[in-house]
Amino acid sequence: MSTSTIPEILTHVDAGVMTITLNRLERKNSITSAMYGAMADALESANHDAAVRVVVIQGHESVFSAGNDIGDFLGKPPSTPDAPVFRFLRGISSFPKPIVAAVCGPAVGIGTTMLLHCDLVYAGDNAAFSMPFVNLGLCPEAASSFLVPQLMGYPRAAEALLLGEPFMAESALEMGLINRIVPPTEANALAQRQALKLAAKPLGPLMETKRLMKKGNAAIVAERMSEEAASFGRMLQEPAAREAFTAFMEKRKPDFSKV
Ligand code: COA
């Protein structure tokens, strides 16, 4: 079965695997609220559809995602918990079936933080991860303020989240964010192969194993995501973020000297 919701998000179900493809290359796969809504809908349908046993999330071999669409941040800021971005984040963080991701090129902001909620992540050797929330006048989302220090330790989390420094595939592998590095042309195919292996396994035991592995973090992740969302929503309206977004649109460096 092949379906597509909006052209920027393609979904396709085959052999027990739902593949969700970010397809907005001209904007480096940056994600609009309509795209978050489509991804949240796809996850919801994958959750309830017995024909789907595994989900794959992928981008293009040149770019995974440039993160949230900055124009949307200015024009349609997600200010309430039912905003599509928060619906997507709640969906992916509590998704009960396995999720496999293939990541190549830039993975900015939510392009990196959504990976914290995937079970297997395969990266191209061109993958570049970054969480520049502070540089945008914002704070982390997707429970990354909890999961990133837990994953990589506080010192490296501080470089990634306070300085907003990018890190490449080798560091991501060493820190345990990703499973394997392959040539970019092979990442999507490897994710599919691994997803098919999972899809051939009994679903009940797979889901129970995932639930048990995630149980220790589940309540903290849910609580942290809602605390982050409240701060993030407020900061979107504040001068630092407005300056950062305007500077991005005007292709200049932001000036935070007055905020
Ligand atoms: N929102 C809206 N538009 C975006 C975007 C975003 N997050 N990221 C890229 N674009 C647009 C660019 O403005 C550019 O538009 P133009 O052709 O009209 O000038 C187009 O996509 C191509 O991007 P460009 O920056 O020229 O590509 P690049 O290969 O040089 O760099 C990135 C790729 C991802 C490193 C760079 O685009 C980037 O840093 N984007 C912003 C990331 C960001 O801060 N995201 C928010 C995270 S919370």
Side-chain angles (χ1 to χ4, degrees):
M1 185 181 75
S2 211
T3 54
S4 93
T5 44
I6 55 173
E8 296 87 358
I9 294 294
L10 305 177
T11 62
H12 173 84
V13 178
D14 188 35
V17 178
M18 173 185 277
T19 302
I20 302 175
T21 305
L22 293 158
N23 183 40
R24 194 181 182 225
L25 258 188
E26 72 288 0
R27 292 273 167 220
K28 301 287 167 183
N29 284 344
S30 53
I31 308 176
T32 60
S33 50
M35 291 165 71
Y36 287 120
M39 289 195 289
D41 290 347
L43 287 178
E44 215 172 291
S45 128
N47 188 3
H48 295 115
D49 185 349
V52 176
R53 300 161 81 90
V54 183
V55 167
V56 170
I57 301 180
Q58 63 183 19
H60 185 261
E61 63 193 46
S62 66
V63 61
F64 181 62
S65 173
N68 205 104
D69 182 281
I70 305 260
D72 252 25
F73 265 161
L74 271 171
K76 287 185 228 164
S79 48
T80 57
D82 60 348
V85 59
F86 299 132
R87 201 158 70 77
F88 166 68
L89 285 176
R90 282 194 300 274
I92 193 170
S93 63
S94 61
F95 193 71
K97 301 174 186 176
I99 306 179
V100 183
V103 183
C104 298
V108 186
I110 200 164
T112 289
T113 60
M114 74 167 86
L115 305 175
L116 298 163
H117 303 285
C118 297
D119 301 289
L120 299 170
V121 182
Y122 298 103
D125 57 20
N126 60 346
F129 305 88
S130 60
M131 295 173 281
F133 300 111
V134 169
N135 302 345
L136 290 165
L138 298 169
C139 69
E141 33 71 321
S144 55
S145 64
F146 169 68
L147 293 170
V148 170
Q150 185 188 60
L151 181 74
M152 53 181 81
Y154 191 85
R156 287 191 291 192
E159 281 188 341
L161 286 171
L162 296 181
L163 281 174
E165 284 192 347
F167 51 97
M168 302 303 289
E170 287 290 350
S171 305
L173 182 65
E174 189 232 323
M175 294 187 292
L177 178 66
I178 63 174
N179 290 82
R180 206 184 298 175
I181 303 173
V182 294
T185 48
E186 291 172 22
N188 288 1
L190 174 59
Q192 284 295 326
R193 284 202 303 279
Q194 300 297 78
L196 286 171
K197 280 191 213 164
L198 287 168
K201 296 185 189 296
L203 183 58
L206 264 185
M207 287 171 60
E208 182 63 358
T209 303
K210 173 168 177 169
R211 187 188 73 78
L212 289 165
M213 287 201 291
K214 298 237 165 198
K215 185 176 157 76
N217 275 351
I220 307 173
V221 163
E223 189 247 305
R224 184 65 62 90
M225 278 203 327
S226 60
E227 185 173 348
E228 289 171 345
S231 299
F232 196 94
R234 172 175 50 78
M235 288 179 176
L236 278 171
Q237 311 287 351
E238 290 180 347
R242 308 308 280 184
E243 165 59 12
F245 305 153
T246 308
F248 179 82
M249 304 302 269
E250 292 173 356
K251 298 191 188 296
R252 61 171 172 82
K253 276 193 180 320
D255 174 6
F256 294 127
S257 61
K258 296 192 181 55
V259 297

